[in-house]
Protein backbone atom coordinates (compact mmCIF):
# COMPACT_ATOMS: atom_id res chain seq x y z
CA UNK A 1 0.00 0.00 0.00
CA UNK A 2 1.21 3.45 -0.78
CA UNK A 3 -0.64 6.72 -0.77
CA UNK A 4 -0.20 9.73 -2.96
CA UNK A 5 0.36 13.24 -1.77
CA UNK A 6 -2.85 15.03 -1.00
CA UNK A 7 -5.23 12.26 -1.31
CA UNK A 8 -6.20 9.09 -2.97
CA UNK A 9 -8.05 8.82 -6.25
CA UNK A 10 -11.17 8.98 -4.11
CA UNK A 11 -10.21 12.36 -2.73
CA UNK A 12 -9.26 13.44 -6.26
CA UNK A 13 -12.67 12.50 -7.61
CA UNK A 14 -14.33 14.33 -4.77
CA UNK A 15 -12.18 17.38 -5.44
CA UNK A 16 -13.15 17.22 -9.10
CA UNK A 17 -16.84 17.30 -8.32
CA UNK A 18 -16.37 19.98 -5.71
CA UNK A 19 -19.77 21.02 -4.45
CA UNK A 20 -21.55 17.92 -5.70
CA UNK A 21 -20.41 15.03 -3.48
CA UNK A 22 -23.30 12.82 -4.56
CA UNK A 23 -22.15 13.05 -8.18
CA UNK A 24 -18.62 12.31 -7.02
CA UNK A 25 -19.75 9.16 -5.26
CA UNK A 26 -21.65 8.09 -8.32
CA UNK A 27 -18.56 8.58 -10.46
CA UNK A 28 -16.43 6.73 -7.98
CA UNK A 29 -18.68 3.87 -6.91
CA UNK A 30 -21.15 3.74 -9.82
CA UNK A 31 -23.99 4.31 -7.36
CA UNK A 32 -25.23 6.79 -4.85
CA UNK A 33 -23.84 6.43 -1.38
CA UNK A 34 -25.97 7.22 1.62
CA UNK A 35 -24.79 10.71 2.49
CA UNK A 36 -25.05 10.02 6.20
CA UNK A 37 -22.78 7.01 6.17
CA UNK A 38 -20.50 8.75 3.68
CA UNK A 39 -19.99 11.62 6.05
CA UNK A 40 -19.62 9.34 8.97
CA UNK A 41 -21.83 11.27 11.35
CA UNK A 42 -24.90 10.14 13.18
CA UNK A 43 -24.37 6.48 13.21
CA UNK A 44 -25.09 5.58 16.80
CA UNK A 45 -21.47 5.96 17.79
CA UNK A 46 -21.73 9.42 16.22
CA UNK A 47 -22.36 11.44 19.31
CA UNK A 48 -18.88 10.95 20.71
CA UNK A 49 -17.29 11.52 17.35
CA UNK A 50 -19.34 14.64 16.86
CA UNK A 51 -18.42 15.99 20.29
CA UNK A 52 -14.78 15.37 19.50
CA UNK A 53 -15.13 17.03 16.10
CA UNK A 54 -16.79 20.20 17.37
CA UNK A 55 -14.56 20.29 20.44
CA UNK A 56 -17.42 20.35 22.97
CA UNK A 57 -20.24 18.22 24.24
CA UNK A 58 -23.55 18.70 22.45
CA UNK A 59 -26.17 19.30 25.15
CA UNK A 60 -29.16 19.15 22.77
CA UNK A 61 -27.83 16.20 20.81
CA UNK A 62 -31.12 14.33 21.18
CA UNK A 63 -32.89 17.02 19.16
CA UNK A 64 -30.30 17.07 16.39
CA UNK A 65 -31.86 15.83 13.15
CA UNK A 66 -30.30 12.69 11.69
CA UNK A 67 -27.90 13.49 8.86
CA UNK A 68 -27.26 17.06 9.94
CA UNK A 69 -23.68 18.18 9.47
CA UNK A 70 -22.80 20.39 12.43
CA UNK A 71 -22.64 24.00 11.26
CA UNK A 72 -19.27 24.24 12.99
CA UNK A 73 -17.89 21.88 10.37
CA UNK A 74 -19.69 23.19 7.29
CA UNK A 75 -17.31 24.87 4.83
CA UNK A 76 -19.11 28.19 4.70
CA UNK A 77 -19.41 28.64 8.44
CA UNK A 78 -17.09 31.07 10.16
CA UNK A 79 -17.81 30.14 13.76
CA UNK A 80 -14.14 29.52 14.52
CA UNK A 81 -12.72 32.23 12.38
CA UNK A 82 -9.32 33.25 13.75
CA UNK A 83 -9.08 37.02 14.26
CA UNK A 84 -6.84 38.60 11.64
CA UNK A 85 -6.76 35.47 9.50
CA UNK A 86 -8.30 34.67 6.13
CA UNK A 87 -11.61 32.85 6.69
CA UNK A 88 -10.41 30.29 4.12
CA UNK A 89 -7.81 28.87 6.50
CA UNK A 90 -8.64 25.33 7.58
CA UNK A 91 -8.82 25.09 11.36
CA UNK A 92 -7.44 21.72 12.46
CA UNK A 93 -7.70 22.31 16.15
CA UNK A 94 -8.97 25.12 18.33
CA UNK A 95 -7.27 24.23 21.58
CA UNK A 96 -4.62 25.28 20.91
CA UNK A 97 -5.39 27.00 17.62
CA UNK A 98 -3.82 25.29 14.61
CA UNK A 99 -4.82 26.22 11.10
CA UNK A 100 -3.44 25.60 7.63
CA UNK A 101 -3.78 27.47 4.36
CA UNK A 102 -5.20 25.57 1.41
CA UNK A 103 -2.86 25.67 -1.62
CA UNK A 104 -5.08 27.94 -3.70
CA UNK A 105 -4.84 30.62 -0.98
CA UNK A 106 -1.04 30.47 -1.12
CA UNK A 107 -0.93 31.86 -4.65
CA UNK A 108 0.72 35.19 -3.65
CA UNK A 109 4.48 35.32 -4.25
CA UNK A 110 4.78 36.87 -0.79
CA UNK A 111 2.43 35.25 1.72
CA UNK A 112 0.21 37.78 3.48
CA UNK A 113 -0.09 37.74 7.26
CA UNK A 114 -3.77 36.83 6.89
CA UNK A 115 -2.83 33.70 4.97
CA UNK A 116 0.11 32.52 7.05
CA UNK A 117 -0.65 29.23 8.82
CA UNK A 118 -0.80 29.00 12.61
CA UNK A 119 0.85 26.25 14.61
CA UNK A 120 0.59 26.47 18.39
CA UNK A 121 1.96 23.91 20.82
CA UNK A 122 0.62 25.73 23.86
CA UNK A 123 -1.68 28.57 24.83
CA UNK A 124 -0.58 31.91 23.35
CA UNK A 125 -0.01 34.77 25.82
CA UNK A 126 -2.87 37.21 26.43
CA UNK A 127 -2.68 40.99 26.99
CA UNK A 128 0.69 41.48 25.39
CA UNK A 129 2.36 44.79 26.24
CA UNK A 130 4.94 45.39 23.53
CA UNK A 131 6.35 48.50 25.31
CA UNK A 132 7.26 46.39 28.32
CA UNK A 133 8.48 43.44 26.24
CA UNK A 134 12.05 42.30 26.92
CA UNK A 135 14.32 39.75 25.33
CA UNK A 136 17.19 38.33 27.35
CA UNK A 137 20.29 36.49 26.17
CA UNK A 138 21.97 34.13 28.61
CA UNK A 139 23.28 30.56 28.89
CA UNK A 140 26.51 28.67 29.71
CA UNK A 141 28.15 29.82 26.50
CA UNK A 142 27.13 33.50 26.77
CA UNK A 143 29.96 35.74 27.97
CA UNK A 144 27.44 37.98 29.72
CA UNK A 145 23.71 38.08 30.24
CA UNK A 146 21.99 40.95 28.50
CA UNK A 147 18.41 42.08 28.22
CA UNK A 148 16.82 44.49 25.74
CA UNK A 149 13.39 45.98 25.47
CA UNK A 150 11.87 45.69 22.02
CA UNK A 151 12.55 49.39 21.52
CA UNK A 152 16.21 48.96 22.46
CA UNK A 153 16.56 46.10 20.01
CA UNK A 154 15.10 48.29 17.29
CA UNK A 155 17.32 51.27 18.18
CA UNK A 156 20.64 49.55 18.80
CA UNK A 157 20.90 47.07 15.99
CA UNK A 158 20.69 47.38 12.23
CA UNK A 159 17.44 46.28 10.58
CA UNK A 160 17.27 43.65 7.85
CA UNK A 161 14.42 42.21 5.79
CA UNK A 162 14.37 38.82 4.10
CA UNK A 163 11.59 36.84 2.51
CA UNK A 164 11.82 33.39 4.10
CA UNK A 165 9.76 30.24 3.82
CA UNK A 166 8.63 28.72 7.09
CA UNK A 167 7.23 25.20 6.97
CA UNK A 168 6.10 23.03 9.85
CA UNK A 169 8.13 19.81 10.04
CA UNK A 170 4.80 17.95 10.18
CA UNK A 171 3.37 19.50 7.00
CA UNK A 172 1.93 16.62 4.94
CA UNK A 173 1.52 14.38 7.99
CA UNK A 174 -2.05 13.43 6.97
CA UNK A 175 -0.75 11.20 4.18
CA UNK A 176 1.35 8.78 6.21
CA UNK A 177 0.28 5.13 6.38
CA UNK A 178 0.13 3.89 9.08
CA UNK A 179 -1.01 7.30 10.31
CA UNK A 180 0.98 9.46 12.68
CA UNK A 181 -0.66 11.22 15.62
CA UNK A 182 -0.72 14.99 15.75
CA UNK A 183 -2.29 17.74 13.68
CA UNK A 184 -3.25 16.18 10.37
CA UNK A 185 -1.62 18.80 8.18
CA UNK A 186 -2.16 18.32 4.49
CA UNK A 187 -0.22 20.80 2.35
CA UNK A 188 -0.70 24.19 3.90
CA UNK A 189 1.52 24.44 6.98
CA UNK A 190 3.86 26.61 4.93
CA UNK A 191 4.17 30.23 3.91
CA UNK A 192 6.74 32.74 2.76
CA UNK A 193 6.26 36.29 4.02
CA UNK A 194 8.87 39.02 4.21
CA UNK A 195 10.25 39.32 7.73
CA UNK A 196 11.89 42.38 9.25
CA UNK A 197 14.01 42.52 12.38
CA UNK A 198 17.56 42.48 13.62
CA UNK A 199 20.14 39.78 13.07
CA UNK A 200 20.23 37.15 15.79
CA UNK A 201 24.01 37.17 15.23
CA UNK A 202 24.37 40.85 16.14
CA UNK A 203 22.36 40.43 19.32
CA UNK A 204 24.15 37.24 20.41
CA UNK A 205 27.51 38.90 19.77
CA UNK A 206 26.50 41.84 21.93
CA UNK A 207 26.28 39.38 24.85
CA UNK A 208 29.46 37.57 23.74
CA UNK A 209 29.71 33.99 22.55
CA UNK A 210 32.28 31.76 24.25
CA UNK A 211 34.48 29.26 22.40
CA UNK A 212 32.50 26.27 23.58
CA UNK A 213 29.13 27.44 22.17
CA UNK A 214 27.42 24.71 20.12
CA UNK A 215 23.70 25.49 20.11
CA UNK A 216 21.07 28.09 20.89
CA UNK A 217 17.66 27.53 22.42
CA UNK A 218 14.60 29.78 22.62
CA UNK A 219 11.90 30.39 25.21
CA UNK A 220 8.58 32.04 24.39
CA UNK A 221 5.81 33.53 26.49
CA UNK A 222 3.10 30.93 25.73
CA UNK A 223 1.98 28.51 28.41
CA UNK A 224 1.66 24.76 28.55
CA UNK A 225 -1.65 23.26 27.51
CA UNK A 226 -1.95 21.55 30.93
CA UNK A 227 -1.95 24.93 32.67
CA UNK A 228 1.07 23.83 34.72
CA UNK A 229 3.28 26.96 34.95
CA UNK A 230 6.39 24.83 35.45
CA UNK A 231 5.93 23.16 32.07
CA UNK A 232 7.18 24.71 28.84
CA UNK A 233 5.18 24.03 25.65
CA UNK A 234 8.18 24.12 23.33
CA UNK A 235 11.79 25.29 23.53
CA UNK A 236 13.84 24.34 20.52
CA UNK A 237 17.00 25.58 18.89
CA UNK A 238 19.66 25.16 16.23
CA UNK A 239 23.44 24.72 16.07
CA UNK A 240 25.33 27.97 16.65
CA UNK A 241 26.52 28.11 13.01
CA UNK A 242 22.91 28.09 11.82
CA UNK A 243 21.97 30.75 14.38
CA UNK A 244 24.81 32.97 13.15
CA UNK A 245 23.72 32.90 9.48
CA UNK A 246 23.01 36.39 8.29
CA UNK A 247 19.36 35.63 7.54
CA UNK A 248 18.55 34.37 11.06
CA UNK A 249 16.36 37.15 12.41
CA UNK A 250 14.71 38.39 15.56
CA UNK A 251 11.67 39.68 13.70
CA UNK A 252 8.90 42.04 14.77
CA UNK A 253 7.32 42.58 11.37
CA UNK A 254 5.67 40.61 8.59
CA UNK A 255 5.43 42.41 5.25
CA UNK A 256 6.11 45.71 7.04
CA UNK A 257 3.41 45.39 9.71
CA UNK A 258 3.36 44.02 13.28
CA UNK A 259 3.33 40.24 13.57
CA UNK A 260 -0.18 38.85 14.10
CA UNK A 261 -0.64 37.70 17.71
CA UNK A 262 -1.01 34.10 16.53
CA UNK A 263 2.31 34.30 14.68
CA UNK A 264 4.32 35.51 17.67
CA UNK A 265 3.62 39.21 18.31
CA UNK A 266 5.60 41.21 19.27
CA UNK A 267 8.85 39.32 18.58
CA UNK A 268 9.82 35.99 17.08
CA UNK A 269 12.77 34.10 15.77
CA UNK A 270 12.94 33.26 12.06
CA UNK A 271 15.44 30.61 10.97
CA UNK A 272 15.37 29.85 7.25
CA UNK A 273 15.17 26.40 5.66
CA UNK A 274 14.77 24.30 8.80
CA UNK A 275 11.54 23.13 10.48
CA UNK A 276 9.51 26.17 11.53
CA UNK A 277 9.47 24.74 15.06
CA UNK A 278 12.84 26.51 15.39
CA UNK A 279 11.20 29.88 14.85
CA UNK A 280 10.24 30.66 18.45
CA UNK A 281 7.20 32.91 18.82
CA UNK A 282 6.46 35.45 21.60
CA UNK A 283 10.20 35.36 22.13
CA UNK A 284 11.44 36.16 25.68
CA UNK A 285 14.81 34.49 25.97
CA UNK A 286 17.59 32.96 23.94
CA UNK A 287 20.12 30.72 25.63
CA UNK A 288 23.57 30.08 24.16
CA UNK A 289 24.38 26.49 25.05
CA UNK A 290 27.63 24.56 25.36
CA UNK A 291 25.76 21.38 24.36
CA UNK A 292 22.83 20.49 22.13
CA UNK A 293 19.86 22.37 23.53
CA UNK A 294 17.72 20.08 25.67
CA UNK A 295 14.51 22.13 25.89
CA UNK A 296 10.98 20.82 25.42
CA UNK A 297 10.49 19.00 22.11
CA UNK A 298 14.20 18.64 21.35
CA UNK A 299 14.34 14.96 22.33
CA UNK A 300 12.38 11.74 21.97
CA UNK A 301 10.23 11.61 18.86
CA UNK A 302 9.67 15.37 18.60
CA UNK A 303 11.02 16.93 15.42
CA UNK A 304 13.29 13.91 15.05
CA UNK A 305 13.24 11.13 12.46
CA UNK A 306 14.90 7.71 12.37
CA UNK A 307 18.61 8.20 11.61
CA UNK A 308 18.28 5.30 9.13
CA UNK A 309 15.18 4.43 7.08
CA UNK A 310 12.66 2.11 8.76
CA UNK A 311 9.68 0.07 7.51
CA UNK A 312 6.28 1.80 7.85
CA UNK A 313 4.93 1.26 11.35
CA UNK A 314 8.26 0.06 12.78
CA UNK A 315 9.10 0.72 16.40
CA UNK A 316 12.15 2.91 16.60
CA UNK A 317 14.25 3.34 19.73
CA UNK A 318 14.64 6.96 20.86
CA UNK A 319 18.39 6.52 20.62
CA UNK A 320 17.99 5.86 16.87
CA UNK A 321 16.22 9.17 16.27
CA UNK A 322 18.05 12.20 14.78
CA UNK A 323 17.13 15.90 14.90
CA UNK A 324 15.64 17.25 11.64
CA UNK A 325 17.83 19.89 10.04
CA UNK A 326 17.23 21.22 6.50
CA UNK A 327 13.73 20.67 5.12
CA UNK A 328 13.55 18.68 1.85
CA UNK A 329 12.76 19.98 -1.66
CA UNK A 330 9.05 20.59 -2.19
CA UNK A 331 6.55 22.45 -4.38
CA UNK A 332 2.91 23.48 -4.49
CA UNK A 333 0.43 24.08 -7.28
CA UNK A 334 -1.34 27.26 -6.18
CA UNK A 335 -3.30 27.83 -9.40
CA UNK A 336 -5.68 26.42 -10.38
CA UNK A 337 -7.45 24.90 -7.45
CA UNK A 338 -7.91 21.13 -7.68
CA UNK A 339 -11.15 20.37 -9.48
CA UNK A 340 -10.73 23.02 -12.18
CA UNK A 341 -12.92 22.51 -15.23
CA UNK A 342 -11.68 23.88 -18.57
CA UNK A 343 -13.05 23.83 -22.07
CA UNK A 344 -11.48 21.50 -24.63
CA UNK A 345 -8.98 23.32 -26.84
CA UNK A 346 -8.14 25.90 -24.17
CA UNK A 347 -4.71 26.13 -22.63
CA UNK A 348 -4.24 26.29 -18.89
CA UNK A 349 -1.32 28.01 -17.20
CA UNK A 350 -0.55 26.30 -13.94
CA UNK A 351 1.69 27.94 -11.36
CA UNK A 352 3.01 27.71 -7.85
CA UNK A 353 6.08 27.86 -5.64
CA UNK A 354 9.01 25.58 -4.90
CA UNK A 355 11.54 25.60 -2.07
CA UNK A 356 14.31 23.35 -0.80
CA UNK A 357 15.36 24.08 2.78
CA UNK A 358 19.01 25.17 2.88
CA UNK A 359 19.30 24.56 -0.85
CA UNK A 360 17.74 26.28 -3.84
CA UNK A 361 15.40 24.81 -6.44
CA UNK A 362 17.22 24.07 -9.70
CA UNK A 363 14.36 22.77 -11.87
CA UNK A 364 10.62 22.35 -11.88
CA UNK A 365 8.51 20.03 -14.03
CA UNK A 366 4.84 19.07 -14.37
CA UNK A 367 3.14 15.98 -15.77
CA UNK A 368 -0.42 15.59 -17.08
CA UNK A 369 -0.09 11.86 -17.81
CA UNK A 370 0.44 10.41 -14.33
CA UNK A 371 4.19 10.87 -14.49
CA UNK A 372 4.82 9.15 -17.86
CA UNK A 373 6.29 12.35 -19.31
CA UNK A 374 7.36 15.63 -17.74
CA UNK A 375 7.27 19.18 -19.04
CA UNK A 376 9.83 21.72 -17.91
CA UNK A 377 8.46 24.82 -16.16
CA UNK A 378 9.65 28.41 -16.14
CA UNK A 379 11.30 28.92 -12.74
CA UNK A 380 12.31 32.18 -11.08
CA UNK A 381 15.31 32.73 -8.85
CA UNK A 382 14.67 33.33 -5.15
CA UNK A 383 14.65 37.00 -4.09
CA UNK A 384 17.10 35.91 -1.40
CA UNK A 385 18.30 32.67 0.16
CA UNK A 386 15.47 30.76 1.94
CA UNK A 387 12.65 32.37 -0.08
CA UNK A 388 10.46 30.14 -2.22
CA UNK A 389 10.65 30.40 -6.01
CA UNK A 390 7.80 30.89 -8.47
CA UNK A 391 7.22 28.49 -11.35
CA UNK A 392 4.65 28.30 -14.16
CA UNK A 393 3.83 26.25 -17.23
CA UNK A 394 1.26 26.53 -20.00
CA UNK A 395 -0.50 23.21 -20.54
CA UNK A 396 -2.32 21.79 -23.56
CA UNK A 397 -4.62 18.83 -23.00
CA UNK A 398 -5.09 16.36 -25.87
CA UNK A 399 -8.86 15.97 -25.45
CA UNK A 400 -11.80 15.78 -23.10
CA UNK A 401 -11.52 13.82 -19.89
CA UNK A 402 -10.05 13.59 -16.44
CA UNK A 403 -6.46 14.68 -15.93
CA UNK A 404 -4.18 15.20 -13.03
CA UNK A 405 -1.44 17.76 -12.95
CA UNK A 406 1.52 16.57 -10.93
CA UNK A 407 4.30 18.97 -9.96
CA UNK A 408 7.86 18.01 -9.12
CA UNK A 409 10.82 20.13 -8.03
CA UNK A 410 14.52 19.27 -8.16
CA UNK A 411 16.94 20.90 -5.74
CA UNK A 412 20.42 22.30 -6.40
CA UNK A 413 21.99 18.96 -5.43
CA UNK A 414 19.87 17.04 -7.94
CA UNK A 415 17.36 15.62 -5.46
CA UNK A 416 13.80 15.22 -6.73
CA UNK A 417 10.51 15.17 -4.89
CA UNK A 418 9.24 11.59 -4.65
CA UNK A 419 5.91 10.60 -6.21
CA UNK A 420 4.81 8.68 -3.15
CA UNK A 421 5.01 9.53 0.53
CA UNK A 422 8.64 9.03 1.50
CA UNK A 423 10.41 7.88 4.64
CA UNK A 424 7.74 6.79 7.10
CA UNK A 425 8.63 7.99 10.58
CA UNK A 426 6.82 7.75 13.92
CA UNK A 427 5.59 11.37 14.04
CA UNK A 428 4.96 11.90 10.34
CA UNK A 429 7.53 14.55 9.47
CA UNK A 430 9.09 15.57 6.15
CA UNK A 431 6.47 14.41 3.64
CA UNK A 432 7.63 16.13 0.46
CA UNK A 433 5.72 13.97 -2.04
CA UNK A 434 4.57 15.67 -5.24
CA UNK A 435 1.45 17.80 -5.07
CA UNK A 436 -1.23 16.88 -7.60
CA UNK A 437 -4.52 18.41 -8.64
CA UNK A 438 -7.50 17.19 -10.65
CA UNK A 439 -8.46 18.93 -13.91
CA UNK A 440 -11.48 18.06 -16.04
CA UNK A 441 -11.53 19.02 -19.71
CA UNK A 442 -15.10 19.27 -21.04
N1 LIG B 1 6.66 29.98 21.54
C1 LIG B 1 6.31 29.13 20.54
N2 LIG B 1 7.00 29.18 19.37
C2 LIG B 1 6.67 28.36 18.36
C3 LIG B 1 5.63 27.41 18.51
C4 LIG B 1 4.92 27.38 19.73
O1 LIG B 1 3.98 26.59 19.92
N3 LIG B 1 5.29 28.25 20.71
N4 LIG B 1 5.36 26.54 17.46
C5 LIG B 1 6.45 26.28 16.56
C6 LIG B 1 6.09 25.48 15.40
S1 LIG B 1 6.00 23.80 15.64
C7 LIG B 1 5.90 26.03 14.17
S2 LIG B 1 5.58 25.08 12.81
C8 LIG B 1 5.97 27.50 13.97
C9 LIG B 1 4.68 28.00 13.37
O2 LIG B 1 4.73 29.38 13.15
P1 LIG B 1 3.38 30.15 12.81
O3 LIG B 1 2.34 29.75 13.82
O4 LIG B 1 3.72 31.59 12.85
O5 LIG B 1 2.97 29.72 11.42
O6 LIG B 1 6.18 28.21 15.19
C10 LIG B 1 7.09 27.58 16.08
N5 LIG B 1 7.35 28.46 17.20
MO1 LIG C 1 5.78 22.79 13.53
Amino acid sequence: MFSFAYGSIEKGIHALYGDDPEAADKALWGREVDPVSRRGFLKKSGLLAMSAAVGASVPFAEYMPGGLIPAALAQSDEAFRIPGKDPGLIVLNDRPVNAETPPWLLDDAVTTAERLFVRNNGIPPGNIDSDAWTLSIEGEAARSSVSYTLKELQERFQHYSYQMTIECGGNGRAEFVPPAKGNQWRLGAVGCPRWTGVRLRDVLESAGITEDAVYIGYYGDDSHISGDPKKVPISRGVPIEKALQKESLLAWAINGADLPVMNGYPLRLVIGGWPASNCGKWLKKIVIRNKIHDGAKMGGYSYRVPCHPVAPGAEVAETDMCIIESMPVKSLITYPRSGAIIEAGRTLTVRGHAWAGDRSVAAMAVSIDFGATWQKCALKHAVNRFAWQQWSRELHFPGRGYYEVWARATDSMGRLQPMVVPGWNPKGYLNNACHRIAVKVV
Side-chain angles (χ1 to χ4, degrees):
M1 261 289 287
F2 58 79
S3 85
F4 280 101
Y6 206 38
S8 56
I9 288 292
E10 180 175 345
K11 282 191 207 163
I13 295 267
H14 276 273
L16 183 64
Y17 284 88
D19 293 336
D20 193 354
E22 281 77 20
D25 280 328
K26 230 175 156 178
L28 194 60
W29 306 109
R31 62 183 165 80
E32 280 177 30
V33 176
D34 168 16
V36 174
S37 64
R38 174 166 50 73
R39 285 165 188 151
F41 283 101
L42 306 167
K43 290 184 181 160
K44 280 307 158 205
S45 61
L47 186 55
L48 261 183
M50 182 154 38
S51 297
V54 301
S57 69
V58 185
F60 293 124
E62 61 181 301
Y63 302 126
M64 227 169 147
L68 184 76
I69 304 290
L73 304 179
Q75 279 258 294
S76 60
D77 191 83
E78 295 182 12
F80 297 135
R81 186 167 168 187
I82 307 167
K85 289 288 170 181
D86 190 301
L89 260 59
I90 299 161
V91 178
L92 301 184
N93 192 343
D94 69 338
R95 191 176 186 277
V97 171
N98 283 285
E100 70 173 295
T101 317
W104 59 90
L105 288 183
L106 286 170
D107 195 40
D108 308 286
V110 181
T111 308
T112 62
E114 293 73 26
R115 291 178 172 179
L116 182 64
F117 75 101
V118 176
R119 196 289 183 246
N120 291 330
N121 288 265
I123 307 299
N127 301 321
I128 299 164
D129 179 358
S130 57
D131 293 333
W133 195 267
T134 56
L135 171 75
S136 57
I137 312 289
E138 48 195 77
E140 313 99 348
R143 237 173 254 295
S144 65
S145 296
V146 294
S147 175
Y148 301 105
T149 63
L150 185 55
K151 201 160 164 250
E152 285 169 338
L153 272 183
Q154 292 170 335
E155 284 171 358
R156 288 198 198 178
F157 300 93
Q158 193 169 337
H159 299 188
Y160 295 90
S161 296
Y162 299 102
Q163 198 191 331
M164 284 189 272
T165 309
I166 63 167
E167 180 179 19
C168 180
N171 196 22
R173 175 178 292 137
E175 301 296 336
F176 280 97
V177 180
K181 282 197 201 114
N183 288 302
Q184 295 298 299
W185 304 109
R186 289 187 290 174
L187 294 152
V190 63
C192 190
R194 188 171 159 83
W195 309 93
T196 299
V198 294
R199 284 189 174 144
L200 175 60
R201 179 169 80 194
D202 293 348
V203 179
L204 295 182
E205 282 171 356
S206 77
I209 305 166
T210 61
E211 288 291 303
D212 59 345
V214 294
Y215 237 81
I216 62 130
Y218 71 74
Y219 290 89
D221 202 29
D222 44 345
S223 43
H224 196 268
I225 193 97
S226 64
D228 181 344
K230 289 189 291 288
K231 285 190 179 163
V232 170
I234 185 168
S235 169
R236 303 201 67 248
V238 294
I240 189 79
E241 305 76 44
K242 183 74 186 164
L244 296 179
Q245 275 184 338
K246 70 178 167 69
E247 295 87 351
S248 297
L249 292 183
L250 298 168
W252 55 78
I254 260 190
N255 304 332
D258 284 352
L259 298 169
V261 172
M262 283 294 160
N263 301 107
Y265 176 84
L267 186 69
R268 80 176 299 172
L269 197 53
V270 184
I271 305 273
W274 288 31
S277 52
N278 291 307
C279 304
K281 303 195 281 188
W282 311 290
L283 194 65
K284 291 298 295 177
K285 183 167 76 178
I286 304 264
V287 285
I288 312 177
R289 307 296 313 266
N290 62 5
K291 57 177 180 182
I292 295 176
H293 182 54
D294 50 3
K297 306 213 170 177
M298 281 301 293
Y301 296 93
S302 296
Y303 305 100
R304 305 207 306 167
V305 291
C307 303
H308 305 288
V310 300
E315 277 198 32
V316 189
E318 283 191 21
T319 48
D320 293 332
M321 301 289 289
C322 285
I323 298 171
I324 299 170
E325 299 199 329
S326 176
M327 293 294 285
V329 60
K330 199 162 173 180
S331 59
L332 271 183
I333 304 166
T334 59
Y335 183 87
R337 181 175 168 166
S338 187
I341 295 174
I342 63 163
E343 275 173 43
R346 291 266 176 121
T347 61
L348 171 68
T349 300
V350 293
R351 62 172 183 253
H353 318 289
W355 62 99
D358 281 341
R359 299 174 183 173
S360 62
V361 178
M364 186 70 211
V366 292
S367 174
I368 59 166
D369 53 13
F370 302 98
T373 62
W374 291 88
Q375 310 180 35
K376 199 170 179 319
C377 302
L379 175 68
K380 287 191 185 164
H381 291 291
V383 295
N384 54 249
R385 188 160 64 151
F386 305 123
W388 64 18
Q389 297 168 235
Q390 280 59 61
W391 61 266
S392 65
R393 170 79 202 196
E394 188 178 81
L395 294 174
H396 306 265
F397 296 91
R400 291 175 213 283
Y402 173 83
Y403 296 88
E404 292 190 5
V405 180
W406 294 4
R408 191 178 69 186
T410 305
D411 76 15
S412 50
M413 300 288 280
R415 289 200 169 240
L416 280 72
Q417 285 184 261
M419 298 311 309
V420 297
V421 178
W424 184 92
N425 60 89
K427 292 277 285 266
Y429 297 118
L430 305 182
N431 175 7
N432 67 332
C434 288
H435 181 203
R436 59 194 196 111
I437 61 164
V439 173
K440 197 157 82 168
V441 179
V442 295

